Amino acid sequence: MGFWSSIMGRSQPAAPRLDSLFAVPSAALTLEAGLGLVPTGIGSVCYRAASGAGFAQTQQEAVALLGSAPEAPDVEVTVDDFGFTWLTVTHDPSDTSGLCTDLHAVNSTLGDAGFGPGLLCSLVVFADVTGRRVGLVYLYKQGTFYPFAPQPTTGSARGAQVRDTLMEIQVRDAVENDLPLEEERSRWLAVWGAPGL
């Protein structure tokens, strides 16, 4: 923090630690061995899209970058009910490293172009044999992960939004040695409607 910033009480936000995304493949092995959760091959980056041609061009560059690979993944851009944009990448489920490399590239492309303040999170989706899904959510500004597990709904509860907190705690405990985890539970935000969940 600079002299004037300290006098004025302003602090610089911490620089994101995007390299933490490369620890997800190791965490994936832990989740499969301990909880039977395997990668689905689906990952996404969530951000608040900026208006203007500059942002649109940068977003197109990120999509084009992913599509330029010899075995290019499927890429889709959608907007959720809350107005957030999700750039979703679908790889072969066995290629978690490639998926995380692509998510890193999207974050870096947007961040390097000056759109870092609009980046919210990245998500890697896992599932068990019953089809229950769990997301590892990477908070861009914090550089930490947390699990998000929507509770499967049946019968009269259909359409209700309920979290499976027991599953979230089990995932957190399983990967605590693999990933930098978000300690403040108040930051474990629900990402209802996220692609793949």
Side-chain angles (χ1 to χ4, degrees):
M1 185 181 332
F3 176 73
W4 288 111
S5 295
S6 64
I7 289 176
M8 300 302 286
R10 297 183 191 137
S11 62
Q12 292 277 9
R17 296 179 297 278
L18 284 176
D19 288 349
S20 297
L21 285 168
F22 296 124
V24 171
S26 174
L29 295 174
T30 301
L31 288 174
E32 184 173 3
L35 298 175
L37 291 165
V38 296
T40 62
I42 301 170
S44 51
V45 176
C46 180
Y47 49 90
R48 187 183 315 275
S51 59
F55 181 83
Q57 180 178 348
T58 301
Q59 181 175 270
Q60 288 174 350
E61 288 171 2
V63 171
L65 175 67
L66 299 181
S68 66
E71 295 181 13
D74 292 332
V75 180
E76 182 180 15
V77 179
T78 57
V79 178
D80 67 19
D81 294 339
F82 303 101
F84 296 111
T85 300
W86 292 85
L87 194 153
T88 304
V89 182
T90 305
H91 269 262
D92 182 293
S94 65
D95 189 15
T96 307
S97 294
L99 176 64
C100 292
T101 299
D102 286 349
L103 297 178
H104 186 283
V106 172
N107 280 290
S108 296
T109 299
L110 294 174
D112 292 347
F115 300 109
L119 287 163
L120 302 175
C121 67
S122 295
L123 173 75
V124 178
V125 181
F126 296 80
D128 65 13
V129 293
T130 68
R132 184 167 53 172
R133 301 222 164 188
V134 178
L136 280 179
V137 182
Y138 173 78
L139 293 171
Y140 179 81
K141 293 177 177 66
Q142 303 300 322
T144 55
F145 290 85
Y146 70 90
F148 173 70
Q151 177 77 45
T153 56
T154 57
S156 61
R158 191 170 297 274
Q161 293 181 328
V162 180
R163 294 174 78 157
D164 187 344
T165 54
L166 177 59
M167 175 59 81
E168 291 178 356
I169 291 169
Q170 289 174 331
V171 170
R172 177 201 64 190
D173 292 348
V175 299
E176 64 183 352
N177 294 323
D178 296 303
L179 300 173
L181 295 174
E182 180 53 53
E183 294 180 7
E184 289 198 33
R185 291 287 303 275
S186 62
R187 291 190 178 132
W188 289 27
L189 303 176
V191 286
W192 303 118
L197 289 179

